[in-house]
Amino acid sequence: MKFLFDSDTWQEIYGSIRKNKLRTGITIVGVLWGIFILVVLLGAARGMENNFKRIFGDFATNSVFMWTQRTDMPFKGFQKGRRFNLTFKDIEVLEKEYANEIKLLAPRNQTNGTVVKDFKSGDFQVSGDYPVLDRVQKKDLIYGRFLNQNDIKNNSKVCVISEDMYKQLFDKMEMPIGQYVKISNVNYKVVGVYKPSNTIDIDGDTAYIPFTTFQKVYNTSNKVDWMMITANEGVDIKQMEKDILLTLKNLHKVHPEDKRAFGSVNLGDQIDKLMGFLTGMQFLTWFVGIATLIAGVFAIGNILLITVKERTKEIGIRRALGATPRSIRRQIVLESVFLTTVAGMLGIIFGGFVLFLLDRLVGSGDDPTLVNPTVNIPIVMLAFLILVILGTLIGLIPAYMATVVKPIEALREE
């Protein structure tokens, strides 16, 4: 290890680099670019993944939404184009048959209505819901509370409104809790104000009232507009969706092959597709990054081969003066490792700087593109270690070429 601290060794390396500044600079840039690309692409992929998690953060991601449409096939005496509705009987059957698979089931009814407070008014969506909705998508409450079981039991005329509704209907700094608003000519007591999610939001600005109150006010009886179902952990959400749709088709006498009678959106399936895309992107990032690294390292090997060729006479003189083949090999390999190490460190530094800029430019605000685009330190160190190992291995080729030439032949080299 003494040669690492030998000033003559580093003077020779410096002299070799100084003689070929342009060539050495281009080589370093080639290796630097490889690890730079790897760091930036991995950081961007992590930023996209974090953004997807942010978007779906408030939602139970293994969820599926279902509603009815027109039938597309005649079945058991019913004509094509029949309309039908989900009912509470459907909810009871699903809760019984899929008790082990279903974690949360939220039946929902919705309509449009005019919300009035004193002389201010606005048209908003009105939704009849159960408290379980807050577990499917957590509401970020600014004031008060969400609907509870007593509201359902007592058919209470209470509502939870959005922050935008509060700003539009109430005076600035006015406390909304306990005050009344009129929705479709019915008075409701405001018990909560929520902040609309800056992630996935299927409702927008909605006034939430108890499901049972919605039934009575709008005379919907046992009708259910649509439902949100969340599966237990470990349940195949896609298979559960197929099974539930088949059960509902049997209950409503719909042809088993009818693809249009029910509409559904499988949130878990969509997230799986996004995660698959991210996995593919990460694989491509590693492939491109490592391929670029290898190309850069081979460039170093080529540069050193040329350098060895140019220094043939010098190497011959050193051999004639007693330098061993081992010392010459060591010198060439050390030069290779030095170049790859410097290039790797610069690539990591520049890559980290670019990720910092990306975080500042597109990683903040209400709708960021990349969230916290970073790379794990162990991954960076692994890439750097791979780079140094490759630099060592590639340096062995010119090192070997430098020692196979006999001293007398090297001295004759013009």
Side-chain angles (χ1 to χ4, degrees):
M1 296 292 290
K2 291 182 180 180
F3 75 96
L4 287 175
F5 303 99
D6 187 353
S7 60
D8 291 338
T9 299
W10 291 104
Q11 283 178 2
E12 289 185 25
I13 291 175
Y14 173 72
S16 175
I17 293 174
R18 188 178 180 184
K19 288 178 185 177
N20 304 284
K21 293 180 182 177
L22 178 61
R23 191 187 303 159
T24 302
I26 293 173
T27 303
I28 288 178
V29 169
V31 180
L32 178 155
W33 182 252
I35 200 164
F36 169 81
I37 288 292
L38 184 64
V39 169
V40 171
L41 290 181
L42 284 176
R46 172 64 66 84
M48 290 179 64
E49 182 179 353
N50 291 338
N51 192 33
F52 287 144
K53 289 179 179 179
R54 178 193 65 83
I55 291 172
F56 296 108
D58 295 334
F59 241 101
T61 52
N62 55 337
S63 299
V64 59
F65 314 140
M66 293 183 178
W67 61 92
T68 61
Q69 302 176 150
R70 289 182 181 273
T71 59
D72 194 46
M73 301 174 68
F75 189 64
K76 291 188 175 181
F78 291 100
Q79 297 298 315
K80 173 182 175 180
R82 174 170 61 99
R83 278 195 174 277
F84 60 100
N85 295 309
L86 293 171
T87 66
F88 262 92
K89 179 184 176 182
D90 301 329
I91 305 300
E92 292 170 0
V93 170
L94 294 181
E95 288 179 334
K96 182 178 179 180
E97 290 193 12
Y98 299 93
N100 295 328
E101 289 88 357
I102 293 178
K103 179 180 180 180
L104 304 170
L105 197 160
R108 309 191 66 189
N109 278 337
Q110 290 178 326
T111 188
N112 293 320
T114 301
V115 183
V116 179
K117 169 67 167 65
D118 297 332
F119 299 103
K120 301 176 182 178
S121 66
D123 292 327
F124 300 99
Q125 182 170 266
V126 181
S127 184
D129 284 293
Y130 282 88
V132 69
L133 178 68
D134 193 40
R135 295 174 61 192
V136 178
Q137 184 181 29
K138 187 68 179 175
K139 299 299 178 185
D140 184 7
L141 292 169
I142 303 172
Y143 300 110
R145 63 172 177 84
F146 195 65
L147 304 174
N148 61 33
Q149 202 57 41
N150 284 332
D151 298 330
I152 299 295
K153 182 180 178 181
N154 299 324
N155 304 329
S156 302
K157 290 185 174 62
V158 296
C159 69
V160 180
I161 62 175
S162 72
E163 182 183 24
D164 288 342
M165 296 170 69
Y166 161 65
K167 290 179 178 179
Q168 184 170 334
L169 299 175
F170 290 81
D171 294 332
K172 190 174 183 180
M173 302 302 292
E174 184 180 3
M175 175 55 66
I177 304 303
Q179 299 203 46
Y180 286 84
V181 297
K182 187 174 289 187
I183 304 176
S184 300
N185 294 320
V186 177
N187 287 317
Y188 292 86
K189 183 179 180 180
V190 177
V191 295
V193 178
Y194 68 93
K195 186 176 182 179
S197 175
N198 58 0
T199 61
I200 183 172
D201 191 352
I202 59 175
D203 290 336
D205 288 322
T206 296
Y208 296 101
I209 65 175
F211 190 96
T212 50
T213 305
F214 190 101
Q215 282 180 305
K216 290 184 175 297
V217 171
Y218 295 97
N219 193 28
T220 58
S221 185
N222 286 325
K223 173 189 171 185
V224 174
D225 285 338
W226 61 296
M227 58 185 172
M228 302 167 62
I229 303 172
T230 300
N232 282 313
E233 188 174 351
V235 173
D236 186 342
I237 188 69
K238 288 191 280 189
Q239 185 59 48
M240 188 185 80
E241 178 188 13
K242 293 178 182 177
D243 294 341
I244 289 177
L245 285 174
L246 185 59
T247 299
L248 291 174
K249 287 176 181 178
N250 289 334
L251 289 171
H252 291 275
K253 296 181 174 57
V254 174
H255 196 288
E257 301 299 323
D258 195 328
K259 304 294 184 182
R260 296 188 180 180
F262 289 90
S264 65
V265 173
N266 192 320
L267 191 59
D269 187 31
Q270 300 302 316
I271 292 175
D272 286 343
K273 290 178 181 178
L274 290 175
M275 291 301 129
F277 166 76
L278 288 176
T279 301
M281 182 177 175
Q282 288 175 340
F283 173 79
L284 181 63
T285 296
W286 275 104
F287 179 80
V288 171
I290 291 178
T292 310
L293 283 179
I294 293 173
V297 170
F298 271 109
I300 287 180
N302 290 331
I303 293 298
L304 292 177
L305 282 172
I306 295 171
T307 302
V308 167
K309 181 68 175 174
E310 292 175 348
R311 295 167 61 190
T312 301
K313 189 172 183 177
E314 175 194 331
I315 292 170
I317 294 173
R318 291 181 61 190
R319 290 286 302 279
L321 293 175
T324 63
R326 181 184 178 187
S327 66
I328 293 174
R329 283 197 300 267
R330 197 165 52 194
Q331 179 78 24
I332 301 299
V333 170
L334 183 58
E335 187 173 337
S336 174
V337 172
F338 175 74
L339 290 175
T340 52
T341 301
V342 170
M345 292 177 65
L346 290 175
I348 292 171
I349 292 171
F350 290 148
F353 180 69
V354 168
L355 291 179
F356 173 78
L357 289 179
L358 286 174
D359 187 44
R360 290 287 183 179
L361 294 174
V362 297
S364 57
D366 294 333
D367 189 23
T369 304
L370 303 175
V371 175
N372 191 23
T374 56
V375 183
N376 290 336
I377 292 179
I379 292 179
V380 174
M381 296 307 297
L382 175 61
F384 184 70
L385 180 62
I386 292 173
L387 181 63
V388 173
I389 291 173
L390 290 175
T392 304
L393 294 176
I394 205 68
L396 292 174
I397 299 174
Y400 172 77
M401 297 298 294
T403 57
V404 295
V405 180
K406 294 179 181 180
I408 190 64
E409 294 177 358
L411 291 172
R412 291 175 181 168
E413 184 75 20
E414 291 296 331

